[in-house]
Amino acid sequence: MSRFWSSLTHDLKPYVPGEQPRMADLVKLNTNENPLGPSPRALEAIREAAADTLRLYPDPQATALRASLAAYHGVKPEQVFVGNGSDEVLAHAFVALLKHDAPLLFPDITYSFYPVYCRLFGIAYETVPLDQAMHIRVADYRRPAGAIIIPNPNAPTGIALSRAEIEALLDEHPDAPVVIDEAYVDFGAETAIPLVASHRNLLVVQTMSKSRALAGLRIGYAIGDADLVDALTRVKDSFNSYPLGRPAQAGAIASIEDEAYFQQSRVRVIAGRERLTRGLKGAGFEVLPSLANFVFARHPAHRGAALAAALREQAVIVRHFTAPRISDYLRITVGSDEQIDRLLSALSGIVK
């Protein structure tokens, strides 16, 4: 700590991202990256955008990208907001929509960036416990709320709500903004975007980091009523009016246009998830019913920390959390077939 730090800086407890280790022959299954790579058309568009025009600022409104996203999701361009990854989009949403006199509600086991944002922006919040099966229960949110944010599928559990359950949540809170964080929705869950037309309080946040394999490009977006998007834009333009560079905008548009590659990629990841789940259950693990590109699993005879450490000794990295309710679980990204084989082989030897 430094005497030059502000009081706010002193009090922060920053989010800890997944480790990006440099190890030989590493099987990296800790950060939910897509093992298949981005669309070749996206890569080509990025290369073409890396030209002399980089001396010029990008379109601050990302007009072409927003139009492309609007057409893809069946909404209007003024209902689309883009930013540097969904984390930046979420940060703007916390400032623009989620800070009210009544507390913000979100699950007790969820994306651990949410309480970090609350501390940074001075937002009062309450956590709503998952049930014993690690499910979100919409009925538990029948309480006063200034706003609500829920990941769907939830992280790190991978369990998803149905669109009907989300609609019930929206109907219970017509006067509160509700953000549905859909970072993993493309791997089997139902998106809430169709509900935007009938619910002015709904904002849906998605990312191109997972299902479109563009984590290194940093592209996130939100879809909602034009008034909600205008609030995000006001915050963005008070912070960084040029969030997405030219290569990012070009690559994102090309990825959206390559629907065949997108569908093939997500189907392969879903098949990998089912294969990983079968292998883990065969090794004696309990595996939660995931609709994400990861699984959340525990072994009844082994502590989570010990399993993660033993895997690391074999150059296999998974994510382990220390929170009391989930300390025996491992969050394991769906990797390539070879990576899944390495993981299952290592775990088989460890648990025996």
Side-chain angles (χ1 to χ4, degrees), residues 90 105-112 114 130 136 141 148-161 166 169 179-185 189 205 294:
L90 287 169
L105 304 183
F106 52 81
D108 66 332
I109 297 171
T110 193
Y111 187 26
S112 54
Y114 296 165
L130 303 183
I136 293 170
Y141 287 78
I148 296 170
I149 183 168
I150 289 177
N152 195 49
N154 193 17
T157 66
I159 299 174
L161 293 170
I166 293 171
L169 178 71
V179 174
I180 303 299
D181 181 358
E182 294 187 343
Y184 303 100
V185 73
V205 178
F294 60 83

PDB file of all heavy atoms in Angstrom, residues 90 105-112 114 130 136 141 148-161 166 169 179-185 189 205 294:
ATOM      1  N   LEU A  90     -20.863  -5.047 -18.283  1.00  0.00           N
ATOM      2  CA  LEU A  90     -21.458  -5.213 -16.956  1.00  0.00           C
ATOM      3  C   LEU A  90     -21.096  -4.065 -16.031  1.00  0.00           C
ATOM      4  O   LEU A  90     -21.940  -3.567 -15.274  1.00  0.00           O
ATOM      5  CB  LEU A  90     -21.007  -6.534 -16.346  1.00  0.00           C
ATOM      6  CG  LEU A  90     -21.613  -7.803 -16.934  1.00  0.00           C
ATOM      7  CD1 LEU A  90     -20.870  -9.034 -16.427  1.00  0.00           C
ATOM      8  CD2 LEU A  90     -23.094  -7.908 -16.609  1.00  0.00           C
ATOM      9  N   LEU A 105     -29.871  -7.480  -5.877  1.00  0.00           N
ATOM     10  CA  LEU A 105     -29.915  -8.898  -5.523  1.00  0.00           C
ATOM     11  C   LEU A 105     -29.176  -9.724  -6.556  1.00  0.00           C
ATOM     12  O   LEU A 105     -29.306  -9.500  -7.762  1.00  0.00           O
ATOM     13  CB  LEU A 105     -31.366  -9.397  -5.441  1.00  0.00           C
ATOM     14  CG  LEU A 105     -32.327  -8.677  -4.494  1.00  0.00           C
ATOM     15  CD1 LEU A 105     -33.689  -9.377  -4.529  1.00  0.00           C
ATOM     16  CD2 LEU A 105     -31.787  -8.631  -3.073  1.00  0.00           C
ATOM     17  N   PHE A 106     -28.395 -10.705  -6.093  1.00  0.00           N
ATOM     18  CA  PHE A 106     -27.795 -11.717  -6.963  1.00  0.00           C
ATOM     19  C   PHE A 106     -27.476 -12.956  -6.136  1.00  0.00           C
ATOM     20  O   PHE A 106     -27.487 -12.904  -4.891  1.00  0.00           O
ATOM     21  CB  PHE A 106     -26.559 -11.194  -7.703  1.00  0.00           C
ATOM     22  CG  PHE A 106     -25.491 -10.558  -6.858  1.00  0.00           C
ATOM     23  CD1 PHE A 106     -24.562 -11.325  -6.168  1.00  0.00           C
ATOM     24  CD2 PHE A 106     -25.391  -9.181  -6.775  1.00  0.00           C
ATOM     25  CE1 PHE A 106     -23.555 -10.741  -5.417  1.00  0.00           C
ATOM     26  CE2 PHE A 106     -24.389  -8.578  -6.022  1.00  0.00           C
ATOM     27  CZ  PHE A 106     -23.468  -9.355  -5.343  1.00  0.00           C
ATOM     28  N   PRO A 107     -27.204 -14.104  -6.770  1.00  0.00           N
ATOM     29  CA  PRO A 107     -27.007 -15.352  -6.018  1.00  0.00           C
ATOM     30  C   PRO A 107     -25.767 -15.304  -5.121  1.00  0.00           C
ATOM     31  O   PRO A 107     -24.807 -14.582  -5.384  1.00  0.00           O
ATOM     32  CB  PRO A 107     -26.845 -16.404  -7.124  1.00  0.00           C
ATOM     33  CG  PRO A 107     -27.467 -15.798  -8.332  1.00  0.00           C
ATOM     34  CD  PRO A 107     -27.209 -14.332  -8.233  1.00  0.00           C
ATOM     35  N   ASP A 108     -25.808 -16.131  -4.066  1.00  0.00           N
ATOM     36  CA  ASP A 108     -24.650 -16.176  -3.162  1.00  0.00           C
ATOM     37  C   ASP A 108     -23.467 -16.895  -3.801  1.00  0.00           C
ATOM     38  O   ASP A 108     -22.314 -16.609  -3.485  1.00  0.00           O
ATOM     39  CB  ASP A 108     -25.017 -16.811  -1.815  1.00  0.00           C
ATOM     40  CG  ASP A 108     -25.384 -18.290  -1.920  1.00  0.00           C
ATOM     41  OD1 ASP A 108     -25.863 -18.719  -2.995  1.00  0.00           O
ATOM     42  OD2 ASP A 108     -25.207 -19.023  -0.925  1.00  0.00           O
ATOM     43  N   ILE A 109     -23.746 -17.825  -4.682  1.00  0.00           N
ATOM     44  CA  ILE A 109     -22.695 -18.503  -5.435  1.00  0.00           C
ATOM     45  C   ILE A 109     -22.895 -18.126  -6.894  1.00  0.00           C
ATOM     46  O   ILE A 109     -23.861 -18.557  -7.540  1.00  0.00           O
ATOM     47  CB  ILE A 109     -22.754 -20.027  -5.258  1.00  0.00           C
ATOM     48  CG1 ILE A 109     -22.517 -20.381  -3.790  1.00  0.00           C
ATOM     49  CG2 ILE A 109     -21.729 -20.729  -6.155  1.00  0.00           C
ATOM     50  CD1 ILE A 109     -22.755 -21.831  -3.454  1.00  0.00           C
ATOM     51  N   THR A 110     -22.001 -17.304  -7.408  1.00  0.00           N
ATOM     52  CA  THR A 110     -22.183 -16.756  -8.743  1.00  0.00           C
ATOM     53  C   THR A 110     -20.871 -16.142  -9.208  1.00  0.00           C
ATOM     54  O   THR A 110     -19.813 -16.364  -8.600  1.00  0.00           O
ATOM     55  CB  THR A 110     -23.336 -15.733  -8.740  1.00  0.00           C
ATOM     56  OG1 THR A 110     -23.707 -15.423 -10.084  1.00  0.00           O
ATOM     57  CG2 THR A 110     -22.955 -14.446  -8.025  1.00  0.00           C
ATOM     58  N   TYR A 111     -20.924 -15.362 -10.263  1.00  0.00           N
ATOM     59  CA  TYR A 111     -19.740 -14.700 -10.805  1.00  0.00           C
ATOM     60  C   TYR A 111     -19.173 -13.753  -9.748  1.00  0.00           C
ATOM     61  O   TYR A 111     -19.841 -12.805  -9.323  1.00  0.00           O
ATOM     62  CB  TYR A 111     -20.125 -13.953 -12.064  1.00  0.00           C
ATOM     63  CG  TYR A 111     -18.975 -13.343 -12.842  1.00  0.00           C
ATOM     64  CD1 TYR A 111     -17.689 -13.866 -12.778  1.00  0.00           C
ATOM     65  CD2 TYR A 111     -19.200 -12.248 -13.663  1.00  0.00           C
ATOM     66  CE1 TYR A 111     -16.657 -13.308 -13.509  1.00  0.00           C
ATOM     67  CE2 TYR A 111     -18.173 -11.686 -14.404  1.00  0.00           C
ATOM     68  CZ  TYR A 111     -16.906 -12.215 -14.321  1.00  0.00           C
ATOM     69  OH  TYR A 111     -15.881 -11.647 -15.041  1.00  0.00           O
ATOM     70  N   SER A 112     -17.942 -13.985  -9.342  1.00  0.00           N
ATOM     71  CA  SER A 112     -17.395 -13.253  -8.197  1.00  0.00           C
ATOM     72  C   SER A 112     -16.996 -11.818  -8.515  1.00  0.00           C
ATOM     73  O   SER A 112     -16.512 -11.104  -7.633  1.00  0.00           O
ATOM     74  CB  SER A 112     -16.201 -14.013  -7.612  1.00  0.00           C
ATOM     75  OG  SER A 112     -15.235 -14.290  -8.599  1.00  0.00           O
ATOM     76  N   TYR A 114     -19.301  -9.650  -9.321  1.00  0.00           N
ATOM     77  CA  TYR A 114     -20.439  -8.825  -8.922  1.00  0.00           C
ATOM     78  C   TYR A 114     -20.197  -8.068  -7.608  1.00  0.00           C
ATOM     79  O   TYR A 114     -20.403  -6.851  -7.551  1.00  0.00           O
ATOM     80  CB  TYR A 114     -21.707  -9.671  -8.814  1.00  0.00           C
ATOM     81  CG  TYR A 114     -22.185 -10.280 -10.112  1.00  0.00           C
ATOM     82  CD1 TYR A 114     -23.128 -11.304 -10.114  1.00  0.00           C
ATOM     83  CD2 TYR A 114     -21.708  -9.849 -11.354  1.00  0.00           C
ATOM     84  CE1 TYR A 114     -23.584 -11.877 -11.298  1.00  0.00           C
ATOM     85  CE2 TYR A 114     -22.154 -10.421 -12.542  1.00  0.00           C
ATOM     86  CZ  TYR A 114     -23.082 -11.431 -12.502  1.00  0.00           C
ATOM     87  OH  TYR A 114     -23.531 -11.998 -13.679  1.00  0.00           O
ATOM     88  N   LEU A 130     -28.402 -20.081  -3.201  1.00  0.00           N
ATOM     89  CA  LEU A 130     -28.853 -21.192  -4.038  1.00  0.00           C
ATOM     90  C   LEU A 130     -29.456 -22.266  -3.143  1.00  0.00           C
ATOM     91  O   LEU A 130     -29.155 -22.340  -1.947  1.00  0.00           O
ATOM     92  CB  LEU A 130     -27.680 -21.782  -4.823  1.00  0.00           C
ATOM     93  CG  LEU A 130     -26.869 -20.860  -5.738  1.00  0.00           C
ATOM     94  CD1 LEU A 130     -25.810 -21.672  -6.478  1.00  0.00           C
ATOM     95  CD2 LEU A 130     -27.753 -20.115  -6.707  1.00  0.00           C
ATOM     96  N   ILE A 136     -30.776 -21.822  -8.747  1.00  0.00           N
ATOM     97  CA  ILE A 136     -31.410 -20.540  -8.452  1.00  0.00           C
ATOM     98  C   ILE A 136     -32.911 -20.773  -8.408  1.00  0.00           C
ATOM     99  O   ILE A 136     -33.480 -21.372  -9.326  1.00  0.00           O
ATOM    100  CB  ILE A 136     -31.075 -19.498  -9.534  1.00  0.00           C
ATOM    101  CG1 ILE A 136     -29.581 -19.147  -9.495  1.00  0.00           C
ATOM    102  CG2 ILE A 136     -31.918 -18.236  -9.365  1.00  0.00           C
ATOM    103  CD1 ILE A 136     -29.121 -18.300 -10.676  1.00  0.00           C
ATOM    104  N   TYR A 141     -36.497 -14.679  -4.883  1.00  0.00           N
ATOM    105  CA  TYR A 141     -36.264 -13.268  -5.211  1.00  0.00           C
ATOM    106  C   TYR A 141     -37.523 -12.421  -5.000  1.00  0.00           C
ATOM    107  O   TYR A 141     -37.546 -11.243  -5.387  1.00  0.00           O
ATOM    108  CB  TYR A 141     -35.759 -13.147  -6.655  1.00  0.00           C
ATOM    109  CG  TYR A 141     -34.332 -13.626  -6.788  1.00  0.00           C
ATOM    110  CD1 TYR A 141     -34.033 -14.985  -6.840  1.00  0.00           C
ATOM    111  CD2 TYR A 141     -33.269 -12.730  -6.812  1.00  0.00           C
ATOM    112  CE1 TYR A 141     -32.728 -15.435  -6.921  1.00  0.00           C
ATOM    113  CE2 TYR A 141     -31.956 -13.161  -6.893  1.00  0.00           C
ATOM    114  CZ  TYR A 141     -31.694 -14.523  -6.947  1.00  0.00           C
ATOM    115  OH  TYR A 141     -30.392 -14.957  -7.013  1.00  0.00           O
ATOM    116  N   ILE A 148     -31.789  -6.435  -9.988  1.00  0.00           N
ATOM    117  CA  ILE A 148     -31.413  -7.850  -9.907  1.00  0.00           C
ATOM    118  C   ILE A 148     -30.449  -8.152 -11.038  1.00  0.00           C
ATOM    119  O   ILE A 148     -30.620  -7.663 -12.157  1.00  0.00           O
ATOM    120  CB  ILE A 148     -32.643  -8.770 -10.026  1.00  0.00           C
ATOM    121  CG1 ILE A 148     -33.603  -8.545  -8.845  1.00  0.00           C
ATOM    122  CG2 ILE A 148     -32.235 -10.242 -10.095  1.00  0.00           C
ATOM    123  CD1 ILE A 148     -34.945  -9.249  -9.014  1.00  0.00           C
ATOM    124  N   ILE A 149     -29.423  -8.954 -10.741  1.00  0.00           N
ATOM    125  CA  ILE A 149     -28.562  -9.484 -11.794  1.00  0.00           C
ATOM    126  C   ILE A 149     -28.359 -10.970 -11.554  1.00  0.00           C
ATOM    127  O   ILE A 149     -28.077 -11.395 -10.423  1.00  0.00           O
ATOM    128  CB  ILE A 149     -27.210  -8.742 -11.881  1.00  0.00           C
ATOM    129  CG1 ILE A 149     -26.382  -9.307 -13.049  1.00  0.00           C
ATOM    130  CG2 ILE A 149     -26.434  -8.791 -10.575  1.00  0.00           C
ATOM    131  CD1 ILE A 149     -25.177  -8.471 -13.410  1.00  0.00           C
ATOM    132  N   ILE A 150     -28.539 -11.750 -12.622  1.00  0.00           N
ATOM    133  CA  ILE A 150     -28.402 -13.200 -12.540  1.00  0.00           C
ATOM    134  C   ILE A 150     -27.670 -13.692 -13.780  1.00  0.00           C
ATOM    135  O   ILE A 150     -28.043 -13.338 -14.903  1.00  0.00           O
ATOM    136  CB  ILE A 150     -29.779 -13.885 -12.440  1.00  0.00           C
ATOM    137  CG1 ILE A 150     -30.399 -13.621 -11.062  1.00  0.00           C
ATOM    138  CG2 ILE A 150     -29.668 -15.383 -12.685  1.00  0.00           C
ATOM    139  CD1 ILE A 150     -31.792 -14.209 -10.907  1.00  0.00           C
ATOM    140  N   PRO A 151     -26.635 -14.518 -13.615  1.00  0.00           N
ATOM    141  CA  PRO A 151     -26.039 -15.156 -14.781  1.00  0.00           C
ATOM    142  C   PRO A 151     -26.873 -16.362 -15.186  1.00  0.00           C
ATOM    143  O   PRO A 151     -27.333 -17.118 -14.342  1.00  0.00           O
ATOM    144  CB  PRO A 151     -24.651 -15.608 -14.291  1.00  0.00           C
ATOM    145  CG  PRO A 151     -24.530 -15.117 -12.892  1.00  0.00           C
ATOM    146  CD  PRO A 151     -25.896 -14.856 -12.395  1.00  0.00           C
ATOM    147  N   ASN A 152     -27.054 -16.540 -16.479  1.00  0.00           N
ATOM    148  CA  ASN A 152     -27.816 -17.684 -16.955  1.00  0.00           C
ATOM    149  C   ASN A 152     -27.190 -18.228 -18.231  1.00  0.00           C
ATOM    150  O   ASN A 152     -27.263 -17.583 -19.267  1.00  0.00           O
ATOM    151  CB  ASN A 152     -29.274 -17.278 -17.209  1.00  0.00           C
ATOM    152  CG  ASN A 152     -30.170 -18.496 -17.337  1.00  0.00           C
ATOM    153  OD1 ASN A 152     -30.116 -19.394 -16.496  1.00  0.00           O
ATOM    154  ND2 ASN A 152     -30.961 -18.552 -18.380  1.00  0.00           N
ATOM    155  N   PRO A 153     -26.557 -19.424 -18.166  1.00  0.00           N
ATOM    156  CA  PRO A 153     -26.338 -20.277 -16.997  1.00  0.00           C
ATOM    157  C   PRO A 153     -25.504 -19.580 -15.904  1.00  0.00           C
ATOM    158  O   PRO A 153     -24.709 -18.694 -16.203  1.00  0.00           O
ATOM    159  CB  PRO A 153     -25.575 -21.469 -17.567  1.00  0.00           C
ATOM    160  CG  PRO A 153     -25.865 -21.468 -19.027  1.00  0.00           C
ATOM    161  CD  PRO A 153     -26.004 -20.041 -19.396  1.00  0.00           C
ATOM    162  N   ASN A 154     -25.726 -20.042 -14.683  1.00  0.00           N
ATOM    163  CA  ASN A 154     -24.971 -19.472 -13.576  1.00  0.00           C
ATOM    164  C   ASN A 154     -23.519 -19.933 -13.645  1.00  0.00           C
ATOM    165  O   ASN A 154     -23.208 -20.991 -14.197  1.00  0.00           O
ATOM    166  CB  ASN A 154     -25.598 -19.906 -12.248  1.00  0.00           C
ATOM    167  CG  ASN A 154     -25.075 -19.106 -11.062  1.00  0.00           C
ATOM    168  OD1 ASN A 154     -24.492 -18.045 -11.219  1.00  0.00           O
ATOM    169  ND2 ASN A 154     -25.303 -19.623  -9.865  1.00  0.00           N
ATOM    170  N   ALA A 155     -22.641 -19.112 -13.109  1.00  0.00           N
ATOM    171  CA  ALA A 155     -21.237 -19.489 -12.973  1.00  0.00           C
ATOM    172  C   ALA A 155     -20.881 -19.400 -11.492  1.00  0.00           C
ATOM    173  O   ALA A 155     -21.264 -18.416 -10.849  1.00  0.00           O
ATOM    174  CB  ALA A 155     -20.354 -18.553 -13.790  1.00  0.00           C
ATOM    175  N   PRO A 156     -20.215 -20.402 -10.944  1.00  0.00           N
ATOM    176  CA  PRO A 156     -19.517 -21.490 -11.628  1.00  0.00           C
ATOM    177  C   PRO A 156     -20.300 -22.801 -11.738  1.00  0.00           C
ATOM    178  O   PRO A 156     -19.724 -23.825 -12.092  1.00  0.00           O
ATOM    179  CB  PRO A 156     -18.302 -21.698 -10.720  1.00  0.00           C
ATOM    180  CG  PRO A 156     -18.828 -21.437  -9.344  1.00  0.00           C
ATOM    181  CD  PRO A 156     -19.838 -20.326  -9.510  1.00  0.00           C
ATOM    182  N   THR A 157     -21.608 -22.798 -11.436  1.00  0.00           N
ATOM    183  CA  THR A 157     -22.330 -24.072 -11.398  1.00  0.00           C
ATOM    184  C   THR A 157     -22.671 -24.603 -12.789  1.00  0.00           C
ATOM    185  O   THR A 157     -22.775 -25.812 -12.982  1.00  0.00           O
ATOM    186  CB  THR A 157     -23.635 -23.933 -10.602  1.00  0.00           C
ATOM    187  OG1 THR A 157     -24.522 -23.047 -11.302  1.00  0.00           O
ATOM    188  CG2 THR A 157     -23.363 -23.400  -9.198  1.00  0.00           C
ATOM    189  N   GLY A 158     -22.929 -23.706 -13.747  1.00  0.00           N
ATOM    190  CA  GLY A 158     -23.341 -24.124 -15.080  1.00  0.00           C
ATOM    191  C   GLY A 158     -24.825 -24.408 -15.211  1.00  0.00           C
ATOM    192  O   GLY A 158     -25.308 -24.725 -16.302  1.00  0.00           O
ATOM    193  N   ILE A 159     -25.579 -24.296 -14.117  1.00  0.00           N
ATOM    194  CA  ILE A 159     -27.007 -24.608 -14.133  1.00  0.00           C
ATOM    195  C   ILE A 159     -27.787 -23.405 -14.661  1.00  0.00           C
ATOM    196  O   ILE A 159     -27.511 -22.263 -14.285  1.00  0.00           O
ATOM    197  CB  ILE A 159     -27.498 -25.008 -12.736  1.00  0.00           C
ATOM    198  CG1 ILE A 159     -26.741 -26.259 -12.259  1.00  0.00           C
ATOM    199  CG2 ILE A 159     -28.992 -25.254 -12.723  1.00  0.00           C
ATOM    200  CD1 ILE A 159     -27.044 -26.653 -10.827  1.00  0.00           C
ATOM    201  N   ALA A 160     -28.790 -23.658 -15.502  1.00  0.00           N
ATOM    202  CA  ALA A 160     -29.525 -22.581 -16.159  1.00  0.00           C
ATOM    203  C   ALA A 160     -30.986 -22.548 -15.732  1.00  0.00           C
ATOM    204  O   ALA A 160     -31.589 -23.569 -15.397  1.00  0.00           O
ATOM    205  CB  ALA A 160     -29.445 -22.731 -17.678  1.00  0.00           C
ATOM    206  N   LEU A 161     -31.557 -21.339 -15.776  1.00  0.00           N
ATOM    207  CA  LEU A 161     -32.995 -21.138 -15.664  1.00  0.00           C
ATOM    208  C   LEU A 161     -33.620 -21.219 -17.053  1.00  0.00           C
ATOM    209  O   LEU A 161     -32.970 -20.928 -18.060  1.00  0.00           O
ATOM    210  CB  LEU A 161     -33.293 -19.757 -15.074  1.00  0.00           C
ATOM    211  CG  LEU A 161     -32.894 -19.497 -13.628  1.00  0.00           C
ATOM    212  CD1 LEU A 161     -33.055 -18.017 -13.317  1.00  0.00           C
ATOM    213  CD2 LEU A 161     -33.721 -20.338 -12.670  1.00  0.00           C
ATOM    214  N   ILE A 166     -37.281 -16.908 -16.107  1.00  0.00           N
ATOM    215  CA  ILE A 166     -36.794 -15.526 -16.178  1.00  0.00           C
ATOM    216  C   ILE A 166     -37.956 -14.565 -16.376  1.00  0.00           C
ATOM    217  O   ILE A 166     -38.001 -13.485 -15.772  1.00  0.00           O
ATOM    218  CB  ILE A 166     -35.759 -15.386 -17.307  1.00  0.00           C
ATOM    219  CG1 ILE A 166     -34.504 -16.184 -16.955  1.00  0.00           C
ATOM    220  CG2 ILE A 166     -35.405 -13.914 -17.546  1.00  0.00           C
ATOM    221  CD1 ILE A 166     -33.512 -16.296 -18.081  1.00  0.00           C
ATOM    222  N   LEU A 169     -39.578 -13.963 -13.124  1.00  0.00           N
ATOM    223  CA  LEU A 169     -38.771 -13.034 -12.328  1.00  0.00           C
ATOM    224  C   LEU A 169     -39.022 -11.596 -12.764  1.00  0.00           C
ATOM    225  O   LEU A 169     -39.180 -10.691 -11.927  1.00  0.00           O
ATOM    226  CB  LEU A 169     -37.294 -13.389 -12.478  1.00  0.00           C
ATOM    227  CG  LEU A 169     -36.297 -12.488 -11.753  1.00  0.00           C
ATOM    228  CD1 LEU A 169     -36.378 -12.718 -10.251  1.00  0.00           C
ATOM    229  CD2 LEU A 169     -34.876 -12.763 -12.245  1.00  0.00           C
ATOM    230  N   VAL A 179     -30.846  -7.546 -15.002  1.00  0.00           N
ATOM    231  CA  VAL A 179     -29.793  -7.881 -15.953  1.00  0.00           C
ATOM    232  C   VAL A 179     -29.604  -9.394 -15.948  1.00  0.00           C
ATOM    233  O   VAL A 179     -29.389  -9.997 -14.885  1.00  0.00           O
ATOM    234  CB  VAL A 179     -28.461  -7.174 -15.592  1.00  0.00           C
ATOM    235  CG1 VAL A 179     -27.341  -7.649 -16.517  1.00  0.00           C
ATOM    236  CG2 VAL A 179     -28.626  -5.664 -15.692  1.00  0.00           C
ATOM    237  N   ILE A 180     -29.691  -9.999 -17.125  1.00  0.00           N
ATOM    238  CA  ILE A 180     -29.414 -11.426 -17.284  1.00  0.00           C
ATOM    239  C   ILE A 180     -28.086 -11.542 -18.023  1.00  0.00           C
ATOM    240  O   ILE A 180     -27.957 -11.106 -19.168  1.00  0.00           O
ATOM    241  CB  ILE A 180     -30.531 -12.142 -18.054  1.00  0.00           C
ATOM    242  CG1 ILE A 180     -31.879 -11.943 -17.350  1.00  0.00           C
ATOM    243  CG2 ILE A 180     -30.211 -13.623 -18.183  1.00  0.00           C
ATOM    244  CD1 ILE A 180     -31.951 -12.497 -15.943  1.00  0.00           C
ATOM    245  N   ASP A 181     -27.111 -12.109 -17.348  1.00  0.00           N
ATOM    246  CA  ASP A 181     -25.736 -12.214 -17.842  1.00  0.00           C
ATOM    247  C   ASP A 181     -25.582 -13.569 -18.542  1.00  0.00           C
ATOM    248  O   ASP A 181     -25.478 -14.600 -17.895  1.00  0.00           O
ATOM    249  CB  ASP A 181     -24.790 -12.086 -16.641  1.00  0.00           C
ATOM    250  CG  ASP A 181     -23.321 -12.142 -17.023  1.00  0.00           C
ATOM    251  OD1 ASP A 181     -23.001 -12.311 -18.212  1.00  0.00           O
ATOM    252  OD2 ASP A 181     -22.485 -12.012 -16.105  1.00  0.00           O
ATOM    253  N   GLU A 182     -25.570 -13.542 -19.886  1.00  0.00           N
ATOM    254  CA  GLU A 182     -25.622 -14.768 -20.668  1.00  0.00           C
ATOM    255  C   GLU A 182     -24.280 -15.118 -21.311  1.00  0.00           C
ATOM    256  O   GLU A 182     -24.215 -15.481 -22.494  1.00  0.00           O
ATOM    257  CB  GLU A 182     -26.707 -14.650 -21.748  1.00  0.00           C
ATOM    258  CG  GLU A 182     -28.110 -14.559 -21.177  1.00  0.00           C
ATOM    259  CD  GLU A 182     -29.205 -14.612 -22.234  1.00  0.00           C
ATOM    260  OE1 GLU A 182     -28.888 -14.400 -23.433  1.00  0.00           O
ATOM    261  OE2 GLU A 182     -30.364 -14.854 -21.864  1.00  0.00           O
ATOM    262  N   ALA A 183     -23.217 -15.086 -20.535  1.00  0.00           N
ATOM    263  CA  ALA A 183     -21.896 -15.368 -21.094  1.00  0.00           C
ATOM    264  C   ALA A 183     -21.814 -16.760 -21.715  1.00  0.00           C
ATOM    265  O   ALA A 183     -21.064 -16.980 -22.670  1.00  0.00           O
ATOM    266  CB  ALA A 183     -20.826 -15.215 -20.014  1.00  0.00           C
ATOM    267  N   TYR A 184     -22.597 -17.720 -21.188  1.00  0.00           N
ATOM    268  CA  TYR A 184     -22.485 -19.116 -21.622  1.00  0.00           C
ATOM    269  C   TYR A 184     -23.759 -19.637 -22.279  1.00  0.00           C
ATOM    270  O   TYR A 184     -23.910 -20.841 -22.475  1.00  0.00           O
ATOM    271  CB  TYR A 184     -22.138 -19.993 -20.415  1.00  0.00           C
ATOM    272  CG  TYR A 184     -20.879 -19.564 -19.714  1.00  0.00           C
ATOM    273  CD1 TYR A 184     -20.936 -18.795 -18.543  1.00  0.00           C
ATOM    274  CD2 TYR A 184     -19.628 -19.905 -20.214  1.00  0.00           C
ATOM    275  CE1 TYR A 184     -19.771 -18.386 -17.912  1.00  0.00           C
ATOM    276  CE2 TYR A 184     -18.471 -19.499 -19.583  1.00  0.00           C
ATOM    277  CZ  TYR A 184     -18.538 -18.738 -18.433  1.00  0.00           C
ATOM    278  OH  TYR A 184     -17.390 -18.323 -17.807  1.00  0.00           O
ATOM    279  N   VAL A 185     -24.673 -18.769 -22.643  1.00  0.00           N
ATOM    280  CA  VAL A 185     -26.002 -19.193 -23.071  1.00  0.00           C
ATOM    281  C   VAL A 185     -25.981 -20.032 -24.345  1.00  0.00           C
ATOM    282  O   VAL A 185     -26.857 -20.890 -24.546  1.00  0.00           O
ATOM    283  CB  VAL A 185     -26.917 -17.959 -23.255  1.00  0.00           C
ATOM    284  CG1 VAL A 185     -26.543 -17.183 -24.515  1.00  0.00           C
ATOM    285  CG2 VAL A 185     -28.384 -18.358 -23.257  1.00  0.00           C
ATOM    286  N   ALA A 189     -28.514 -23.246 -23.150  1.00  0.00           N
ATOM    287  CA  ALA A 189     -29.585 -22.582 -22.403  1.00  0.00           C
ATOM    288  C   ALA A 189     -30.454 -21.742 -23.337  1.00  0.00           C
ATOM    289  O   ALA A 189     -30.127 -21.528 -24.506  1.00  0.00           O
ATOM    290  CB  ALA A 189     -28.998 -21.718 -21.290  1.00  0.00           C
ATOM    291  N   VAL A 205     -26.982  -9.408 -21.373  1.00  0.00           N
ATOM    292  CA  VAL A 205     -25.564  -9.193 -21.681  1.00  0.00           C
ATOM    293  C   VAL A 205     -24.974 -10.496 -22.223  1.00  0.00           C
ATOM    294  O   VAL A 205     -25.160 -11.564 -21.630  1.00  0.00           O
ATOM    295  CB  VAL A 205     -24.788  -8.735 -20.431  1.00  0.00           C
ATOM    296  CG1 VAL A 205     -23.304  -8.562 -20.759  1.00  0.00           C
ATOM    297  CG2 VAL A 205     -25.370  -7.434 -19.896  1.00  0.00           C
ATOM    298  N   PHE A 294     -18.371 -25.579 -19.435  1.00  0.00           N
ATOM    299  CA  PHE A 294     -17.594 -26.109 -18.310  1.00  0.00           C
ATOM    300  C   PHE A 294     -18.516 -26.973 -17.476  1.00  0.00           C
ATOM    301  O   PHE A 294     -19.750 -26.929 -17.625  1.00  0.00           O
ATOM    302  CB  PHE A 294     -17.013 -24.975 -17.452  1.00  0.00           C
ATOM    303  CG  PHE A 294     -18.052 -24.061 -16.856  1.00  0.00           C
ATOM    304  CD1 PHE A 294     -18.708 -24.382 -15.681  1.00  0.00           C
ATOM    305  CD2 PHE A 294     -18.388 -22.877 -17.492  1.00  0.00           C
ATOM    306  CE1 PHE A 294     -19.683 -23.551 -15.144  1.00  0.00           C
ATOM    307  CE2 PHE A 294     -19.360 -22.034 -16.971  1.00  0.00           C
ATOM    308  CZ  PHE A 294     -20.008 -22.375 -15.792  1.00  0.00           C
TER     309      PHE A 294
END
